């Protein structure tokens, strides 16, 4: 996959790309990242990249011409690299909210992606109308720029590209993954050594079932914890799941009932 990021701060993007799974995806050449800086396309002596909003009010917008030229330059490069047209996405709080399904679909279908990371109060609406295919939001809060939103998209996509994750870290086991038995549920709690935390650090022990070696009992416990935590923390996800008959059955209903009974008696 080839991702092109339109940004006034390419160093910010570059700094974040050499680590972990994302760094590996780039090193393995399963993902390429290139930045296009509108400042490089500003033709006045000051390389101006901001401009005042019509109608007045506080704050600035990204200046139209440099932004337009940077996007078109990314489109031309994308076309040279891989024939088909790149999908152009603008990151903003007004967009469709990002979720795992959107990432999975994008990783599976988009070979080339142009992400516009805006600064200031945003970009001219006519750029959105003429050049942007989709507007995505990473959540209902306001950032100072789109760079971190773009990197959220890049990071989430990188681990979904074929060959990037090893078998033991497989994305197929993600709790948001369709078809997994914990599909649509929150993750269950995890434990590692020691079996008992030192008294001075809290003294807690690991749930006995995880030490039992009984894989069926462990699987059942984990599913029950996933159901219980989703019920407690994200009942909206549970409502969605119950609507999907393929993902809701008597076993889950029974385990959740057990969890609720234990929870209410504590
Ligand atoms: N911004 N999801 C304003 C965001 C944002 C978000 C990016 C701030 C665009 C102009 N982007 N700029 N939330 O808050 O994607």
């Amino acid at each position: 996959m080839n991702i092109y990021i339109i940004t006034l701060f390419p160093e910010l993007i570059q700094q974040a790309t050499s680590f972990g799974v994302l760094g590996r995806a780039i090193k393995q050449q399963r993902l390429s990242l290139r930045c296009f800086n509108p400042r490089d396309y500003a033709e006045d002596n000051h390389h101006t990249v901001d401009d005042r909003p019509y109608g007045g009010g506080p704050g600035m917008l990204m200046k139209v011409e440099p932004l337009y030229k940077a996007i078109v330059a990314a489109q031309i490069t994308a076309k040279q690299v891989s024939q088909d047209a790149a999908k152009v996405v603008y990151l903003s709080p007004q967009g469709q909210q990002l979720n795992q399904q959107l990432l999975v679909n994008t990783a599976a279908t988009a070979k080339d992606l142009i992400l516009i990371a805006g600064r200031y109060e945003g970009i001219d609406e006519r750029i959105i109308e003429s050049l942007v295919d989709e507007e995505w939001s990473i959540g209902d809060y306001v950032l100072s720029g789109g760079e971190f939103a773009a990197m959220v998209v890049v990071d989430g996509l990188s681990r979904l590209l074929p060959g990037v994750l090893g078998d033991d870290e497989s994305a197929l086991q993600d709790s948001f993954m369709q078809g997994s038995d914990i599909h649509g549920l929150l993750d269950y709690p995890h434990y590692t050594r020691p079996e008992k935390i030192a008294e001075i650090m809290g003294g807690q022990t690991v749930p006995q079932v995880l030490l039992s070696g009984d894989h069926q009992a462990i699987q059942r416990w984990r599913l029950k914890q996933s159901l219980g935590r989703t019920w407690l923390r994200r009942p909206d996800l549970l409502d969605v799941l119950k609507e999907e008959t393929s993902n809701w059955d008597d076993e889950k209903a029974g385990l959740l009932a057990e969890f609720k009974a234990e929870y209410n008696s504590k």
Side-chain angles (χ1 to χ4, degrees):
M1 183 171 210
N2 306 299
I3 301 182
Y4 305 86
I5 301 182
I6 312 300
T7 173
L8 291 174
F9 299 118
E11 294 88 353
L12 184 57
I13 304 289
Q14 244 45 75
Q15 287 286 344
T17 55
S18 53
F19 305 96
V21 171
L22 170 57
R24 195 198 306 162
I26 293 172
K27 199 162 176 202
Q28 292 173 333
Q29 298 186 15
R30 298 179 202 279
L31 177 66
S32 83
L33 269 195
R34 268 198 67 175
C35 291
F36 286 79
N37 188 344
R39 196 172 294 279
D40 296 337
Y41 300 86
E43 287 175 8
D44 65 316
N45 287 334
H46 290 96
H47 302 285
T48 308
V49 290
D50 62 352
D51 213 339
R52 292 172 307 164
Y54 278 120
M60 299 292 273
L61 294 170
M62 291 186 76
K63 188 172 169 60
V64 166
E65 289 86 350
L67 175 60
Y68 187 94
K69 287 175 181 165
I71 298 169
V72 169
Q75 285 177 320
I76 290 170
T77 303
K79 188 102 191 184
Q80 285 167 347
V81 169
S82 63
Q83 327 312 344
D84 9 277
K87 174 181 280 189
V88 180
V89 174
Y90 174 49
L91 283 314
S92 93
Q94 286 72 48
Q96 170 189 4
Q97 189 154 337
L98 191 70
N99 59 30
Q100 191 62 17
Q101 195 56 57
L102 183 54
L103 287 177
V104 167
N105 292 342
T106 303
T109 60
K111 259 181 66 231
D112 306 273
L113 203 56
I114 296 173
L115 301 177
I116 304 172
R119 282 274 152 177
Y120 318 119
E121 305 309 309
I123 71 178
D124 189 291
E125 191 66 21
R126 292 163 296 180
I127 299 249
I128 300 177
E129 288 166 3
S130 62
L131 293 180
V132 171
D133 297 308
E134 294 182 17
E135 211 168 332
W136 295 353
S137 167
I138 64 162
D140 293 337
Y141 39 81
V142 181
L143 304 171
S144 62
E147 282 78 10
F148 286 102
M151 288 313 295
V152 164
V153 172
V154 168
D155 185 278
L157 286 173
S158 68
R159 59 186 296 287
L160 296 173
L161 300 176
V164 170
L165 293 189
D167 284 340
D168 58 333
E169 31 178 30
S170 169
L172 292 173
Q173 294 171 36
D174 291 348
S175 61
F176 283 107
M177 210 63 196
Q178 187 70 250
S180 119
D181 61 348
I182 52 168
H183 160 76
L185 294 173
L186 298 183
D187 205 358
Y188 48 77
H190 300 275
Y191 297 88
T192 183
R193 294 187 299 172
E195 204 177 304
K196 184 177 190 313
I197 304 256
E199 213 61 63
I200 196 166
M201 293 192 275
Q204 311 95 315
T205 56
V206 173
Q208 272 303 316
V209 62
L210 299 179
L211 309 172
S212 70
D214 181 343
H215 291 294
Q216 206 191 315
I218 292 169
Q219 209 182 4
R220 191 175 180 283
W221 180 86
R222 285 177 169 165
L223 179 54
K224 179 170 155 184
Q225 295 304 314
S226 282
L227 287 159
R229 283 156 63 119
T230 310
W231 170 65
L232 286 171
R233 302 183 192 187
R234 292 294 303 277
D236 57 313
L237 292 180
L238 212 50
D239 293 339
V240 171
L241 204 68
K242 287 179 179 175
E243 299 301 312
E244 312 169 338
T245 45
S246 60
N247 289 308
W248 192 252
D249 53 25
D250 291 349
E251 189 203 8
K252 282 182 181 148
L255 288 172
L256 180 56
E258 268 183 38
F259 184 99
K260 287 182 183 177
E262 287 166 25
Y263 180 82
N264 290 324
S265 70
K266 264 190 226 144

